[in-house]
Amino acid sequence: MTFVKLPHRWLQIGVRKSALMTMILSNLFILLIPLAMGLFLYTKVENSLEKGANRSNKAMLEQLKLTLDNKLSEVDVLMGQITLDSKLDYMLKIPPDADSVDKYLFIDFKQNKLSRFRSMVSSFIYDYYVYFAASDTIVKGDMLTDSRTFYENSYTYKSMSYEEWRQTLLLSPHVMTYLPAAELVPGHEASSNIEYVPSDVVTYAQSLPIRSQNDVLGNLIILIDVSQIKEMFAQLESASHSLIYIVDNTGRTIMGTSQEPLPVDIMKRVNESGEPFDYVMNGVRQMISVTSSQKAGWKYVSVTPSDVFMQQVNTIQNWSTLLFILCLIAGLAAVYAVAYRNYSPIKKTVNAILRGKEMEGPPAYNEYEFIRQTIEGSFHEEKNLRSMLTQQTPVIRANYLSRLVRGYMDVDTAGKDDKTLDFMNISFISDRFVVLLVKIEDISRFSGEKSEQQWALARFIISNIGADLIGQNHKGFAVELDRDRLAFLVNLNPDRIEAAAKDVRDITGAFSQVIPDRFKLDITVAAGGIHEGPQSIRDSYPEALAALEYRLVKGSNAIIHFEDITDAKQHYYYPLETEIQLINFVRSGDTDSADRLLDTIYAMNFDSTHITPELGKCLFFNVISTFLKIVNATNMNPKEVLGTDFDPLKEVFSHPTAEGMHVKTKELFRTLSGSFKVERTDHSTVLLQEIVSLVDANLDDPNLGLALVADRFRMTPQYVSTFFKKNQGQNLLDYITRKRIEKAKRLMENKELTNAHIAQMVGYTNDVVFIRAFKKLEGITPGKYRETIKPDPAG
């Protein structure tokens, strides 16, 4: 088809492009408005949520502060009750060698004061005790002991030794001091007597006497259960996924919900200002909120990830982005719709003609001339296409039938008025089909020259003869599959359905008679089953292939119907005993016996019963495996016997039929057996002498027999038995018995040996067996035989 160029004025589209670009830019500007609104809305929402989150965190921190301050008031009340005791100042000065009256004051203080104060506090205060430095005494609600005993038997801090604990906590001055949370370790007695010991405690210390801090005579120690404080943190922590820290006025972290301490930068900004601020921690933006408590001089700090309160903002951002994309796509579609709607129908037609094609030839006067020239070119191109289609029809027909036969598509015979296959001169008369396969075995009788031309001529003859034979009652189509193989698609006549099976057999019979007799072409014909429906060809073709494979069993130049081979057995005859017998024949050089045994194996499998081609190949594979076993077991050089680069498997399986495989197999075994025959002739005498020597040397061994001899010489018992009988003239067991009786007769000359002793010395387990063997061989019992022995004159 020839295309022409439009006049230059019709191809000047710069202005049109400019207008289109203007419309695109205008619409894109409109589309930017939702994006700007989304960004503005996102910023406002983010600021609003951030402020709301700060207020919420601040409020929860305030609530936490009030709750914890209320709990800390218990510490102040307990401290006041203990330090204001009238006898405390005197007790702080009691020396370690005081009399019993002064020591009783400690007992009274423990029982009547400290124990009574226990009911005044909640579980927030885990425990408390008073240390008297002058007497190195610790008084607890249920204990009175010295500091070291208390350290070892009650509890202390995991991070401090006894000396550190005593110096830091008991002897140093403290003024309402709260120490950071530390891990508490129970002592030996505490671990068994106390049901609950908190893992972490905040320690409160107050030096005594409280009125004078210059001279430290003791300390009041109160232990606060950290788990109680963490329960107060739980609500705030779960609500905002925040980390909570408590720091004192010196910047120390009293406790926190994280194992990591509060960073120094955060502490610096917390001390400078109490306002919320942002901070990047571990690559994550955090919001820091702070509130202060005057009760203990503590500051409560919460560290909240921005993702928690920004989740809603991110959702709005995602929706805004999606909305922008949808608006952009819709706007672009509208731009193109408006632009193309303004084009004239002629220009649309020109663009349709020019779509994907180059303009060639002289320019047309206008669009009408261009369309006229295009239509004329189309008619001319259609004419050329029809001519090309007519020339390619045989190729298309062959390709269609080939795909149909191979099962790549189903046959459609539903529409009888369907004309879609008429251009290939193909039509079907029914939905019943059968596939015939013809294998050209040899064309040497047809033509001495086996060139491609002669093969093509042979296929042409068979195709035409086959079409004529099928066309007498049915409709047939020939398909060339390979150089030596053709397929015939037989479409059965609906008026001869009952006689279809007989007609198929008549067609195959005529094939097998006409082609070889008149045209000297050796062929094998295989027929699949008759099937009906869209998949009938797909079902019949594999059956025809299976029947053609059966030529391995039937041989060349045969007629094979699939229905005749469906009863083929699924096993073959080649038992282990037969294999061992074959090995023995070959190794003994008995070529005739090996040949007869191979013929028996072939007849048992291929002559008397049906066997599938696959099992036939397996049978020959196993027989060749036996051949290779013999070669490998005897350590012989296969190159000397079979030649260099000889492959027995390729030699056998190169034959297309079982008969050819059998002939080649017999040739291989004759060659191998002949090599053993030469070898056995040279060494049979030596082997016989070795067996006789082994028997003579082991007559006293009860286990001496065919199995032992075969094991010693690494041969099969059957082979040893056959070899010995063939070369010695008698059975091996009979020979052993004869040698044992001869030895026994010599031993009987010694009158001191009993029959039982002699039986053991010649290899019999008991004298009963010996007597039976002796009588069987000599005709008399051992006792009778001894009576016939004449006494030695020298004796």
Side-chain angles (χ1 to χ4, degrees):
M1 177 177 179
T2 303
F3 294 97
V4 297
K5 291 185 178 180
L6 287 173
H8 184 66
R9 63 179 181 274
W10 296 112
L11 302 177
Q12 292 179 345
I13 58 175
V15 177
R16 189 169 63 203
K17 281 188 175 180
S18 176
L20 181 62
M21 187 62 65
T22 301
M23 288 185 289
I24 292 175
L25 293 177
S26 299
N27 284 276
L28 287 177
F29 177 77
I30 297 174
L31 293 176
L32 290 176
I33 296 177
L35 177 62
M37 294 177 61
L39 293 175
F40 177 76
L41 177 63
Y42 174 78
T43 304
K44 289 297 183 181
V45 172
E46 180 180 8
N47 293 333
S48 175
L49 290 178
E50 186 172 354
K51 291 179 181 179
N54 285 328
R55 288 194 300 269
S56 175
N57 285 348
K58 187 80 171 180
M60 285 191 286
L61 282 176
E62 288 290 340
Q63 180 65 31
L64 177 63
K65 180 192 72 173
L66 293 176
T67 303
L68 193 54
D69 286 352
N70 183 45
K71 290 291 185 180
L72 291 177
S73 63
E74 296 182 10
V75 177
D76 295 338
V77 171
L78 179 61
M79 187 269 290
Q81 293 292 335
I82 294 175
T83 57
L84 295 179
D85 187 272
S86 58
K87 299 179 181 181
L88 184 62
D89 290 347
Y90 177 76
M91 296 169 62
L92 291 170
K93 300 175 182 179
I94 295 176
D97 56 350
D99 55 19
S100 59
V101 176
D102 288 339
K103 291 182 178 180
Y104 179 75
L105 293 175
F106 291 113
I107 298 174
D108 180 68
F109 182 70
K110 173 178 75 75
Q111 295 178 347
N112 297 327
K113 301 292 182 168
L114 294 185
S115 298
R116 181 166 52 86
F117 295 152
R118 178 76 263 183
S119 61
M120 300 173 59
V121 296
S122 65
S123 59
F124 178 75
I125 296 177
Y126 170 66
D127 206 351
Y128 53 90
Y129 55 88
V130 179
Y131 175 68
F132 298 90
S135 60
D136 191 31
T137 302
I138 289 181
V139 180
K140 190 169 160 290
D142 55 355
M143 182 181 296
L144 176 63
T145 184
D146 60 277
S147 60
R148 180 170 290 278
T149 304
F150 180 84
Y151 175 81
E152 294 178 351
N153 296 331
S154 294
Y155 38 71
T156 184
Y157 301 92
K158 183 178 182 180
S159 60
M160 290 189 291
S161 63
Y162 166 73
E163 294 298 335
E164 292 174 341
W165 168 71
R166 185 170 181 269
Q167 184 63 36
T168 301
L169 196 60
L170 302 183
L171 300 180
S172 299
H174 302 284
V175 180
M176 301 178 65
T177 302
Y178 288 91
L179 300 180
E183 185 175 353
L184 194 66
V185 179
H188 301 301
E189 295 182 1
S191 61
S192 59
N193 297 330
I194 300 176
E195 295 183 357
Y196 170 72
V197 176
S199 58
D200 297 304
V201 294
V202 173
T203 305
Y204 172 86
Q206 173 63 50
S207 297
L208 301 174
I210 195 172
R211 291 179 293 276
S212 175
Q213 299 299 326
N214 294 327
D215 187 13
V216 179
L217 301 179
N219 269 297
L220 168 63
I221 307 300
I222 300 176
L223 304 179
I224 300 173
D225 190 352
V226 170
S227 63
Q228 298 286 328
I229 302 177
K230 287 186 176 181
E231 289 181 2
M232 302 176 191
F233 291 170
Q235 181 179 1
L236 177 58
E237 186 179 7
S238 61
S240 60
H241 303 280
S242 303
L243 300 177
I244 313 298
Y245 294 91
I246 298 178
V247 297
D248 61 10
N249 51 12
T250 64
R252 292 187 304 177
T253 301
I254 300 301
M255 66 163 293
T257 57
S258 175
Q259 298 294 332
E260 299 181 1
L262 197 62
V264 178
D265 295 346
I266 295 180
M267 284 298 309
K268 183 177 180 181
R269 295 187 63 178
V270 166
N271 292 330
E272 292 176 354
S273 174
E275 296 298 324
F277 60 89
D278 291 340
Y279 182 83
V280 178
M281 182 185 295
N282 298 327
V284 180
R285 181 170 170 259
Q286 311 282 348
M287 184 182 68
I288 313 300
S289 300
V290 185
T291 186
S292 301
S293 171
Q294 301 301 325
K295 184 71 175 177
W298 288 355
K299 291 183 179 178
Y300 300 85
V301 182
S302 72
V303 181
T304 306
S306 297
D307 292 341
V308 174
F309 63 88
M310 289 293 291
Q311 184 175 6
Q312 298 180 5
V313 177
N314 294 334
T315 302
I316 294 175
Q317 182 187 26
N318 294 335
W319 278 103
S320 300
T321 303
L322 179 61
L323 180 62
F324 169 75
I325 295 174
L326 292 176
C327 290
L328 181 62
I329 295 174
L332 291 175
V335 168
Y336 281 103
V338 172
Y340 281 110
R341 187 176 58 186
N342 295 326
Y343 292 164
S344 66
I346 297 299
K347 291 180 180 180
K348 287 184 179 181
T349 304
V350 171
N351 289 334
I353 295 173
L354 294 177
R355 186 179 298 127
K357 300 180 180 179
E358 296 181 356
M359 295 180 296
E360 298 178 354
Y365 179 74
N366 55 26
E367 288 92 348
Y368 291 106
E369 182 67 18
F370 172 74
I371 294 173
R372 185 189 65 77
Q373 293 178 1
T374 301
I375 294 174
E376 289 181 353
S378 298
F379 286 138
H380 180 70
E381 183 177 4
E382 181 182 2
K383 183 178 180 180
N384 291 335
L385 288 175
R386 289 184 178 277
S387 176
M388 292 176 59
L389 181 61
T390 302
Q391 296 175 4
Q392 296 297 325
T393 297
V395 178
I396 298 174
R397 170 191 169 96
N399 179 266
Y400 172 79
L401 292 175
S402 177
R403 289 185 291 115
L404 194 64
V405 168
R406 296 179 189 272
Y408 296 153
M409 56 190 296
D410 292 339
V411 61
D412 184 10
T413 59
K416 295 184 179 179
D417 298 331
D418 189 5
K419 305 297 182 180
T420 56
L421 303 179
D422 287 352
F423 76 98
M424 295 185 292
N425 194 24
I426 294 177
S427 62
F428 301 114
I429 58 177
S430 72
D431 62 347
R432 287 181 172 83
F433 293 87
V434 61
V435 176
L436 306 181
L437 292 178
V438 178
K439 169 74 174 179
I440 305 176
E441 301 289 355
D442 190 14
I443 64 171
S444 58
R445 294 196 302 130
F446 170 73
S447 172
E449 180 186 356
K450 295 184 179 181
S451 62
E452 286 300 324
Q453 180 179 3
Q454 297 301 320
W455 278 103
L457 181 58
R459 293 194 298 270
F460 175 77
I461 293 173
I462 294 175
S463 298
N464 284 275
I465 295 298
D468 291 341
L469 292 175
I470 297 172
Q472 294 177 4
N473 295 308
H474 305 279
K475 194 165 188 178
F477 305 91
V479 184
E480 294 185 4
L481 301 180
D482 292 309
R483 187 182 73 164
D484 59 347
R485 183 177 298 187
L486 296 91
F488 288 91
L489 179 60
V490 181
N491 188 203
L492 299 176
N493 190 336
D495 298 332
R496 294 185 59 84
I497 296 301
E498 295 181 357
K502 181 179 180 301
D503 289 346
V504 171
R505 290 188 177 269
D506 291 342
I507 292 171
T508 57
F511 255 120
S512 183
Q513 183 177 0
V514 174
I515 300 298
D517 293 346
R518 295 183 58 183
F519 298 98
K520 309 303 180 183
L521 292 171
D522 296 329
I523 62 172
T524 299
V525 183
I530 299 174
H531 293 274
E532 179 181 1
Q535 296 185 355
S536 56
I537 300 176
R538 181 183 298 184
D539 294 337
S540 183
Y541 177 67
E543 295 176 353
L545 283 177
L548 187 61
E549 285 292 324
Y550 208 77
R551 61 193 279 269
L552 175 75
V553 179
K554 291 288 189 178
S556 303
N557 307 319
I559 302 175
I560 309 169
H561 291 267
F562 178 76
E563 61 185 14
D564 296 338
I565 65 172
T566 54
D567 60 341
K569 66 177 183 179
Q570 299 300 317
H571 65 276
Y572 58 81
Y573 171 81
Y574 190 53
L576 181 60
E577 295 80 4
T578 302
E579 182 182 25
I580 295 173
Q581 190 177 8
L582 180 60
I583 292 173
N584 290 333
F585 285 152
V586 174
R587 296 187 63 174
S588 63
D590 192 350
T591 304
D592 295 337
S593 297
D595 268 359
R596 286 194 296 273
L597 185 57
L598 288 172
D599 288 337
T600 302
I601 295 171
Y602 180 82
M604 290 289 291
N605 288 281
F606 292 95
D607 293 344
S608 60
T609 58
H610 291 296
I611 185 173
T612 63
E614 293 78 13
L615 284 177
K617 293 179 181 179
C618 290
L619 171 63
F620 281 105
F621 184 84
N622 278 348
V623 174
I624 298 303
S625 297
T626 303
F627 177 87
L628 296 176
K629 288 178 185 177
I630 299 172
V631 173
N632 295 332
T634 55
N635 295 322
M636 66 181 299
N637 188 355
K639 294 182 179 179
E640 297 179 357
V641 180
L642 304 175
T644 307
D645 299 329
F646 183 81
D647 189 343
L649 287 176
K650 289 183 179 179
E651 287 293 324
V652 171
F653 286 100
S654 63
H655 293 271
T657 63
E659 184 178 359
M661 294 181 185
H662 175 59
V663 172
K664 188 61 183 179
T665 302
K666 289 175 65 176
E667 291 179 3
L668 292 175
F669 274 91
R670 286 196 198 99
T671 303
L672 186 60
S673 180
S675 65
F676 277 107
K677 186 175 183 179
V678 175
E679 181 181 356
R680 293 308 179 190
T681 302
D682 296 337
H683 299 286
S684 59
T685 303
V686 177
L687 178 60
L688 180 62
Q689 292 176 354
E690 291 178 352
I691 294 175
V692 170
S693 299
L694 176 66
V695 171
D696 293 342
N698 293 274
L699 289 175
D700 58 343
D701 187 353
N703 296 320
L704 180 63
L706 185 60
L708 185 143
V709 175
D711 184 64
R712 292 288 180 89
F713 289 94
R714 295 183 180 179
M715 298 178 179
T716 62
Q718 294 85 348
Y719 177 77
V720 172
S721 177
T722 303
F723 171 81
F724 192 85
K725 187 173 183 179
K726 181 177 180 180
N727 291 274
Q728 186 66 18
Q730 61 178 324
N731 189 284
L732 178 61
L733 295 180
D734 293 340
Y735 178 79
I736 293 173
T737 303
R738 168 60 64 184
K739 285 293 184 178
R740 281 176 169 171
I741 298 303
E742 289 177 357
K743 183 178 179 181
K745 290 165 65 176
R746 291 194 298 270
L747 293 173
M748 288 181 185
E749 295 178 0
N750 188 350
K751 301 298 184 179
E752 296 180 359
L753 296 176
T754 64
N755 288 339
H757 290 160
I758 294 174
Q760 293 179 358
M761 295 174 70
V762 295
Y764 289 102
T765 55
N766 56 70
D767 56 345
V768 176
V769 179
F770 167 65
I771 293 172
R772 187 182 300 117
F774 191 94
K775 184 176 181 181
K776 180 179 179 181
L777 195 62
E778 297 295 331
I780 58 175
T781 63
K784 294 291 185 179
Y785 177 79
R786 279 194 164 188
E787 294 178 359
T788 64
I789 299 175
K790 297 179 180 181
D792 188 358

